[in-house]
Amino acid sequence: MTEAGHRTDSIDGTWLRAGLVFIAALTLVRIILLALSPVDLYPDEAQYWVWSQNLDWGYFSKPPLIAWVISASTSLLGVTDFAIRLPSNVFHAFTGLFLLLAGSRLDAPKTGFWAAVIYLTMPGAWLSAGIISTDAILLTFWSGALYAMIRLRQGGGWASAIGLGAAVGLGFLAKYAIIYFVIGTGLAIALDPPARRALLSIRGLVAGLIAVTFLLPNMLWNAANDFATVQHTADNANWDGNYFHFDELADFLGAQFIGYGPALFGTLLAGFWLALKRPFAMDGNNRLFLVLYSLPILLVVSVQAFISRAHANWAAATYVAASLLVALILMSGRPWRRWMLYISVAVSCTIGIVFTSVAMSPPLAETLGLSNAFKRVRNWEETATAVADAASAGEYDGVLFDDRNVFHEMQRYGGGIEPELFMWQRFAAPHNHADQTWPLPLDYAGSVLVVSHRPLDTHRLREDFETFEPAGEIRIPVGGGRERVFTLWRAQGHQRVERTPEYETRWAEEDARRTAAGEN
């Protein structure tokens, strides 16, 4: 080997080691901060923990992998908020590792290093590192699938094919958004000759069969449960017939600029434009290949935002291939591109550090006027204690909630509540996991403490019982002068009114009247 070759190998090895050190160091810092975090679980996090108490092949609104992960973590480390959230940081670290390896395969270890840095330091990743979510798990298997796809595209063998199938299959068990990866792969078969040669082969067929094998148990569970998860995913689209929401589209795109970083998102859009100027020049073109695994997601969710609504994280899968694409762009060409990368990463880190500092310090959040952003993750133990005291004082047989978020928080923090917990079913059919699993029985004759967090629903609640009397209220400070307020009622003789179309029309008109009159 020549001296130049030795020098190149040495430089490449340095970048790989630097990437591993960076991923490990950042992950360790985030785990320490997570251990010191004073905030309670967000309602969705509490729900995921509830799922982990009863492992299954699916749940009302999500595939099962998040529950399995939490169960494994809490079995090893005990049932604490730290143990529940810890897996997010582990999964983010593996996503960074796959990006490091993928960038090294596509271009050079230096590109892989910066792709991992871009991903791990984007503002959205700082937020995700502090919670447990399906996105953190999904993106690990997405990045693993992309790495395996790149290896297979470059002539990889059976290990690459098996890894691709397993990663896609596990991705489906994490979140159905992995379907975008399948769409990207279909586009790659159509437009990228190296990918087409790799996938239209016995190895590609085996990869597909492995993915279906992983997915099959969840599909069978859905079939046995009226396709609950699939239906919930479709319902989230919320297509109500008004298909022109420019404000929702603007909010969604604005959130992408913030979540990925303004300069980086701008670079990504420019990269899309430059790559698509020659849409049929795909043979071996890495940039165009990466566009197929990022742009379709952003386009689909943008259309969804325009015709209805879209949460910012619905496009999270964009930023795996996008981080590789942006690194390829900014690590090539004139020096100013590298400076823009360095400055963008510094800005992202600054935003992340500020956000983390605010989350770690309630007084700082109040000083900056940001306490409202954290009101849903504070003082749930105090809330549970107050509910437990009210339940024991009135000698109730059960406690009924009208807000599924509060219900799951009480399941997590309300171990001291002695009566059984129930969920009031607002609609004719279950609309969430709490509705589905813990509804108040139709013939329930015992007395219940109704803990109401939805003032407009109180009148509907009253109609479902023979007796319904005031029993006080609970007020829990949550910072910034705000309070979490519940009205309490003693109810007995549950006789649930049938949720007919006439019922819904009557109450919609009543809600509109009360809202116009300023009534609760």
Side-chain angles (χ1 to χ4, degrees):
M1 183 178 290
T2 65
E3 183 178 344
H6 281 296
R7 187 161 54 249
T8 299
D9 289 343
S10 176
I11 294 173
D12 286 348
T14 298
W15 282 108
L16 283 172
R17 287 190 294 273
L20 293 173
V21 170
F22 177 82
I23 293 168
L26 182 60
T27 301
L28 179 60
V29 169
R30 284 176 170 170
I31 288 174
I32 293 172
L33 291 173
L34 187 64
L36 300 174
S37 174
V39 299
D40 297 330
L41 295 183
Y42 189 76
D44 281 349
E45 295 178 284
Q47 176 181 244
Y48 301 149
W49 172 78
V50 170
W51 293 351
S52 75
Q53 306 305 293
N54 181 26
L55 298 184
D56 208 337
W57 280 103
Y59 300 92
F60 188 91
S61 60
K62 294 288 189 299
L65 195 52
I66 191 167
W68 301 353
V69 166
I70 293 173
S71 177
S73 180
T74 53
S75 295
L76 290 172
L77 302 174
V79 181
T80 64
D81 290 355
F82 170 76
I84 292 168
R85 286 172 167 156
L86 176 63
S88 271
N89 285 280
V90 176
F91 279 100
H92 278 305
F94 275 103
T95 301
L97 176 61
F98 282 127
L99 284 171
L100 173 65
L101 297 175
S104 301
R105 274 272 178 172
L106 278 176
D107 186 54
K110 187 176 183 179
T111 301
F113 170 86
W114 284 108
V117 170
I118 289 169
Y119 169 81
L120 288 171
T121 62
M122 65 180 180
W126 285 94
L127 172 63
S128 182
I131 63 175
I132 182 68
S133 70
T134 52
D135 286 328
I137 303 173
L138 166 71
L139 297 186
T140 294
F141 293 112
W142 183 293
S143 60
L146 186 61
Y147 173 57
M149 180 66 232
I150 290 169
R151 287 178 60 96
L152 199 62
R153 180 174 176 260
Q154 295 177 346
W158 282 107
S160 299
I162 293 170
L164 175 61
V168 172
L170 288 167
F172 269 113
L173 295 180
K175 192 172 184 178
Y176 293 153
I178 194 70
I179 192 67
Y180 292 125
F181 188 92
V182 177
I183 292 171
T185 301
L187 292 172
I189 291 173
L191 300 174
D192 182 34
R196 181 163 58 248
R197 288 190 291 270
L199 291 168
L200 297 184
S201 66
I202 187 64
R203 289 189 177 92
L205 176 61
V206 169
L209 291 174
I210 292 172
V212 171
T213 301
F214 274 93
L215 176 60
L216 185 59
N218 177 251
M219 288 295 99
L220 293 175
W221 179 92
N222 266 283
N225 289 272
D226 300 320
F227 288 94
T229 315
V230 175
Q231 183 61 45
H232 173 82
T233 302
D235 288 344
N236 264 348
N238 192 34
W239 294 358
D240 60 6
N242 177 13
Y243 299 142
F244 298 94
H245 296 86
F246 290 98
D247 56 337
E248 293 287 348
L249 176 60
D251 287 346
F252 169 74
L253 292 177
Q256 303 312 301
F257 272 98
I258 296 171
Y260 195 52
L264 294 177
F265 190 70
T267 301
L268 177 63
L269 296 180
F272 288 156
W273 169 253
L274 293 173
L276 293 175
K277 286 176 69 176
R278 298 179 63 200
F280 299 108
M282 282 293 302
D283 198 356
N285 189 319
N286 291 332
R287 294 188 186 184
L288 284 170
F289 173 76
L290 294 171
V291 168
L292 300 181
Y293 286 95
S294 50
L295 179 58
I297 309 165
L298 199 60
L299 288 177
V300 169
V301 184
S302 293
V303 170
Q304 164 64 28
F306 180 67
I307 64 178
S308 177
R309 62 180 177 84
H311 296 301
N313 71 304
W314 288 5
T318 299
Y319 301 107
V320 176
S323 295
L324 288 164
L325 178 59
V326 170
L328 280 171
I329 293 170
L330 295 182
M331 292 309 298
S332 63
R334 298 183 177 180
W336 66 265
R337 293 189 182 185
R338 260 80 73 206
W339 281 108
M340 187 169 78
L341 172 60
Y342 307 150
I343 293 170
S344 296
V345 169
V347 170
S348 293
C349 288
T350 301
I351 294 172
I353 291 169
V354 170
F355 175 83
T356 303
S357 299
V358 170
M360 294 290 292
S361 174
L364 178 60
E366 292 189 22
T367 300
L368 297 177
L370 298 175
S371 57
N372 189 51
F374 299 94
K375 66 183 180 182
R376 299 182 72 183
V377 289
R378 287 187 180 154
N379 295 342
W380 282 112
E381 290 189 358
E382 291 81 352
T383 302
T385 298
V387 171
D389 290 343
S392 62
E395 298 182 355
Y396 295 95
D397 299 304
V399 182
L400 182 68
F401 299 88
D402 61 358
D403 185 329
R404 68 106 179 171
N405 292 328
V406 177
F407 180 80
H408 288 309
E409 295 286 8
M410 293 303 98
Q411 288 180 301
R412 171 69 187 98
Y413 297 106
I417 303 175
E418 293 184 359
E420 190 173 0
L421 306 184
F422 296 104
M423 184 69 196
W424 177 63
Q425 190 172 315
R426 159 66 184 86
F427 297 97
H431 271 222
N432 52 61
H433 183 67
D435 271 0
Q436 182 186 53
T437 311
W438 294 280
L440 185 66
L442 294 178
D443 58 350
Y444 194 84
S447 63
V448 295
L449 172 66
V450 177
V451 181
S452 177
H453 195 47
R454 298 181 179 276
L456 279 176
D457 280 339
T458 301
H459 306 284
R460 291 191 185 92
L461 266 163
R462 187 191 307 274
E463 197 174 55
D464 282 345
F465 292 90
E466 290 182 1
T467 62
F468 198 84
E469 302 171 349
E473 67 176 12
I474 292 174
R475 291 181 174 272
I476 304 295
V478 292
R482 295 174 176 83
E483 293 181 312
R484 183 179 296 133
V485 180
F486 304 93
T487 56
L488 306 181
W489 309 85
R490 173 181 284 274
Q492 194 159 3
H494 183 228
Q495 296 182 350
R496 186 171 180 267
V497 176
E498 185 179 359
R499 273 42 170 173
T500 62
E502 293 75 18
Y503 171 92
E504 297 297 345
T505 299
R506 173 166 59 88
W507 278 111
E509 293 173 351
E510 178 65 12
D511 288 347
R513 185 194 68 79
R514 290 179 179 277
T515 300
E519 300 178 21
N520 285 335

